[in-house]
Amino acid sequence: MASPANISPDSRGLKAELETLTTEAFRPELAEIDQLPTLDIARLMNGEDATVSAAVAAQLPRIAAAIDALAERMGRGGRLVYAGAGTAGRLGVLDASECPPTFNTDPSQVVGLIAGGPEAVVNSIEGAEDSKELARDALEALALTAADTVVGVSASGRTPYAVGAVEYARARGALTVGLSCNADSPLAAAADHGIEVVVGPELLTGSTRLKAGTAQKMVLNMLSTITMIRLGKTYGNLMVDVRASNEKLRARSHRIVALATGAPDEEIERALAATDGEVKNAILTILGEVDGPTAARLLEENEGRLRVALG
């Protein structure tokens, strides 16, 4: 092991920087947590997690502003791209991967980039998070445009991969969002919309997959879900663009049509059959009293917005 005298100036600088971050702070009152009964540790963790929602609530105006700007871009055909390393990158990949089955989006519309590439989702790729160049290369491969939105995600707010993604995207005219869990972060400063959810020191020092990860998951849920609501991907609180790719989702599709229309089962089955299982179209055939092709045309003319098509 290298002695302190042999640590490089860059490493010493990083060590000093990390010591200033709230997410890296040491909590002496938890120094003997490993001596506690399991139930007590579980209660401590649960209590910590209960504070995350309030930290997110403090950033709601910033989150809402970012969503409005994001939805406007996506309404013009832009894409949503998450970029992060480690836990932050995995959370972005997770949120992106859940959009096609939930909102019937094309896989290219919401994209998750993680430092180190797809392998890094399940295996740690050492050093990848330190490269701004890797972020630039990944965004170049996507042929990023000014219509797109890039969300850099980093608990520390200083991860070079996330900061580099936002800097490159902003230089290309894309909308940028910086999501971090420390105040006055370089990531937020580099973005058009900075969102800093300060959850405080972790139960395990520096383990930002805990409260910071939970906070990031909550914000990413908001970014994607509320954007899809703004784009007409829902009808009320019903997932009318759900893709019925398995038996559970086919049953859910039937139930959604039932909740939206109040129609009997036989009518719902006929409507789904006439619209190739498209929930939104089936609802329109029932409530609008039109046939399948007419429902498809009305939705196309109204940018897929069911409520507008019904009006």
Side-chain angles (χ1 to χ4, degrees):
M1 180 183 294
S3 67
N6 293 327
I7 296 176
S8 70
D10 286 345
S11 294
R12 284 196 294 270
L14 177 56
K15 179 176 178 291
E17 182 181 359
L18 291 177
E19 288 176 350
T20 68
L21 300 178
T22 301
T23 50
E24 298 290 328
F26 173 67
R27 298 173 63 180
E29 75 275 17
L30 298 176
E32 296 186 0
I33 189 174
D34 56 332
Q35 303 297 307
L36 296 176
T38 300
L39 181 56
D40 288 352
I41 300 174
R43 284 175 174 147
L44 281 171
M45 285 195 70
N46 183 239
E48 291 288 302
D49 290 340
T51 68
V52 175
S53 182
V56 172
Q59 291 292 300
L60 288 179
R62 293 176 179 270
I63 294 169
I67 290 169
D68 284 338
L70 164 60
E72 192 277 328
R73 298 275 180 128
M74 290 198 80
R76 292 191 278 117
R79 297 167 293 178
L80 168 59
V81 181
Y82 297 125
T87 296
R90 294 182 187 100
L91 289 170
V93 170
L94 173 65
D95 198 75
S97 67
E98 290 178 343
C99 285
T102 306
F103 301 111
N104 204 16
T105 57
D106 187 276
S108 66
Q109 284 183 277
V110 185
V111 179
L113 300 178
I114 182 170
E119 184 184 348
V121 174
V122 293
N123 294 306
S124 177
I125 307 296
E126 299 298 335
E129 71 171 50
D130 295 329
S131 175
K132 289 186 176 184
E133 291 72 23
L134 285 178
R136 179 200 63 205
D137 293 346
L139 291 173
E140 283 183 347
L142 289 178
L144 195 74
T145 74
D148 297 326
T149 299
V150 172
V151 180
V153 190
S154 164
S156 68
R158 57 150 303 279
T159 305
Y161 185 90
V163 174
V166 165
E167 289 175 343
Y168 174 82
R170 196 168 186 180
R172 295 296 298 267
L175 179 73
T176 55
V177 180
L179 171 57
S180 77
C181 294
N182 281 292
D184 304 317
S185 66
L187 180 59
D192 297 301
H193 296 268
I195 300 169
E196 296 175 324
V197 185
V198 182
V199 295
E202 298 286 4
L203 186 87
L204 299 181
T205 306
S207 183
T208 52
R209 70 184 185 86
L210 300 177
K211 288 190 298 184
T214 300
Q216 291 165 357
K217 176 70 164 63
M218 291 173 71
V219 175
L220 296 182
N221 280 350
M222 289 183 180
L223 292 178
S224 59
T225 302
I226 302 175
T227 293
M228 295 302 166
I229 292 173
R230 294 271 75 89
L231 294 176
K233 290 286 188 179
T234 66
Y235 180 64
N237 64 340
L238 297 174
M239 297 186 294
V240 291
D241 257 328
V242 65
R243 179 179 297 168
S245 55
N246 58 39
E247 285 300 323
K248 181 188 78 173
L249 293 179
R250 278 187 281 275
R252 180 177 290 165
S253 296
H254 185 108
R255 183 167 183 268
I256 289 171
V257 178
L259 288 169
T261 66
D265 288 345
E266 296 80 4
E267 185 177 0
I268 291 170
E269 289 301 329
R270 287 197 298 271
L272 286 169
T275 57
D276 294 323
E278 294 288 344
V279 172
K280 188 182 289 185
N281 300 47
I283 294 170
L284 185 53
T285 65
I286 295 171
L287 295 182
E289 299 181 346
V290 297
D291 59 19
T294 302
R297 176 179 59 80
L298 287 171
L299 285 167
E300 183 177 0
E301 291 174 354
N302 290 283
E303 300 178 325
R305 298 175 183 270
L306 176 57
R307 197 176 292 279
V308 178
L310 282 167

